[in-house]
Amino acid sequence: MITLLSGNEALALGAYHAGVRVATAYPGTPSTEILANIAKHEDVYAEWSTNEKVAVEVALGAAYGGARSVVSMKHVGLNVAADPFMAASTTGINAGLVFIVADDPGMHSSQNEQDTRYYAKLAKIPVLEPSDSQEAYDFMSLAFDISEQFDTPVLVRSTTRISHSKSAVNANRQRQSNPKIGFPRDYRKYVMLPANARQRHVQIEKRLLEVTAFTETLPVNKIEDGNSALGVISSGVAYQYARQTFPEASFLKLGMPYPLPKAMIKDFASKVKKLLVIEELDPFIEDSIKVMGIEVTGKSIIPLVGELNPDVVETCCRKAGLLPELGSKEGTDEKPALLGRPPLFCAGCPHVGIYFTLSSMGHRSSLSVRNKPGRESSMIITGDIGCYTLGALPPLSAMDTCACMGAGIGQALGLEKAGVTGDIIAVIGDSTFLHSGITPLVDAVYNNGKMTVIIMDNLTTAMTGHQDNPGTGKTAQGKATNRVDLEKLVRGIGVNDVQLVDAFDVKGIRNSVKKSLGNPELSVIIVRGNCQAQVKKKTTPMFIDRDKCTKCDLCAMTGCPAIQYQDGEIFINDNLCVGDVCGICRQICPQHAIGPKTSSVEGKAK
Amino acid sequence: MKNINLIMSGVGGQGTILASDIIAEVAIAAGYDTKKTDTLGMAQRGGSVVSHIRAGGKVYSPMIKDGQADIMLGFEKLEAMRWAQFLNEKSIVIVNNYKIPPATVNTGKATYPADEEIIGILKGKTSHVILVNGTEQAISLGDIRVLNIFLLGCASFLLPFEVQVWMDVIHKRLPAKIVPINVSAFSKGREEIQNGSF
């Protein structure tokens, strides 16, 4: 049966058919749908883990216990999980363990562009790289087989364009049974005291040699014979672009870009006049081929930065003389400078009230209406990763840093310890706080931090599509579970000044922030309100009474997408406004000109 | 088997991704090798969304090359103009005559391009530009959200797939409750192009 599956759906189905019993992940674009799809199967244990490090540790434990296990994350998640990732390579496994790591070339939704294949080389574990959904499905079964054959974790590298593209899949396997549950206690293999780890390192090197020999006959590394004038080596989605660009060339398609089949590459290189590597991001394959002493072209013509596509590959190859020049018109089409459509908070978003408060109290808004010219803001807001990172954008302009998950709290402490004056505030979402904000808050308690930490609790992991987290009381498989109480957690760490406020009560938020900034000790404010995009609650939309409105634009400073201009007049878009469920514009309007549309304001306006 | 490249663009929340899924499933069901890919930014909603759908005997890249789109379905005017690079003189462009102003326009920091500019850019590429009042039609059918299926109906007249295959996929992909209104939207869209004087 042929079905249309995304790369992520195919990876999930491939893992399921390979007999996976335990699946773990922390959500992250473009990897999120892998676990979300595995979790639909009731005969798999699937969890959203607190963070990627924990996800790897749970999957590793399950693999020790004889269950085929899979852990999925985005590329930067592997930075968080690097420690147990390396440990998994050292101890090896009992049942198969597969890491699926999705890179984001082009940074569609990421803070950097890193090439995960280097991690596989660092850990000395094999990496498989599918180039469409069929391979995504097929490679999962292969990954588990290799994992168990060589006692090694296996990394499957995806990219945004693989994970989020759909293509035909023949999902022709039945779910494998996985009968050997049990932990075979083995002190020398699983207890990494130095004496044991020294022995394991010897094993790792031996294993790598064995896998290298194995890759020479691995069917996923395959030569596609063509014209001998040009030989192209490629993997992943880049293979598709390369194949389309050079339909006549000879190809070596690498399903496993590490370790490389050296004899196969030497043989292929000897049969073609010119050797070209087309790969996305870093010269990972190219450099290894150069080390073998083989002349090869790659990143001198193919960009290191950004996502490839068929146009980029073709244009670069034309410039390098690998394809004939085109006439002047074709291929030189400039894109017109166009009005952008930056991402924005939804109407009714629980982050708007707190950001409006910080923006106005700190004199930070990009709208001139509220800020007297020349007034410099002394408020520093360190930020974090989630929907709320959009608070950095105008008109709110209420974030000064965003580095990686959980970094804002430590950065705030560092700014303070450096002696920087002014109000220092760290903002962080609920899921991000649980992911990696707890330890820096412990650090701030221990080292006498004085700053304000604001936890923006929208009761979900919103940005990646509303996954549950330890604060929501629901598991990845939709069952009720224990809920980690953020207020108790923060108090338990030793923060004495903890306030809980309603995300849609602007006065309450303002008073809390004032109180917190006035307190010379470390304080935490939890601003709690449901994510509108998740709960979709709506009441009568708001309306601006033109008789009362003085066009002060304060409501526009919220950045709410429902507040719009038409022919120079400000108005509230009925289709977008959620009404008093939010009501932030109504609360802040100094002229009391905003109210629900059915009330007397509308009548008066008419 | 003819190769078909289709670009679909709009604003998050308009249902472009479901629409591109449906076209791809129809193409697969009709026996075409098919790939599709969506590009969307960070935001849950409100950002630009563009989908590439490619069908043919054998498809390698899921992404369409500049100047290679046979059909463009624009769910919103600015978003249709944004991807004009994919058009050539034979491309057929169907644009929903509807504006969704970006936040910079809402806050008075930018101006939404005039219709003449948008149509000018598209017509500079191809003379086959068809404006349809999709949002208006969807609202008159009773739900603004059926816009995506209305536009699929428009595109269906230009694509080599049987109506029955479209119907099968629509029945499969949509909850039973909303199938009738979407089937009406599909027929309306198909008639719009069939009866149009283009």
Side-chain angles (χ1 to χ4, degrees), chain A residues 124-136:
Chain A
K124 302 182 179 185
I125 67 170
V127 51
L128 291 168
E129 195 173 16
S131 69
D132 61 17
S133 297
Q134 182 69 55
E135 288 188 349

Side-chain angles (χ1 to χ4, degrees), chain A residues 473-507:
Chain A
K474 229 168 88 187
T475 70
Q477 294 183 296
K479 298 199 171 65
T481 185
N482 307 311
R483 195 176 76 80
V484 172
D485 184 324
L486 289 183
E487 199 180 344
K488 277 190 193 160
L489 173 63
V490 170
R491 286 189 192 282
I493 287 171
V495 180
N496 296 317
D497 181 359
V498 183
Q499 302 177 75
L500 178 67
V501 285
D502 177 349
F504 300 103
D505 172 9
V506 183
K507 202 182 247 175

Side-chain angles (χ1 to χ4, degrees), chain A residues 75 83 105 108 115 165 169 241 266 276 320 328 370 411 425 432 446 450 558-559:
Chain A
H75 59 308
D83 206 2
H108 297 281
D115 192 326
S165 292
V169 175
Y241 308 145
K266 266 186 197 147
L276 174 66
S328 57
R370 304 307 294 177
Q411 288 173 337
I425 299 172
T432 310
Y446 169 51
K450 311 287 184 206
T558 59

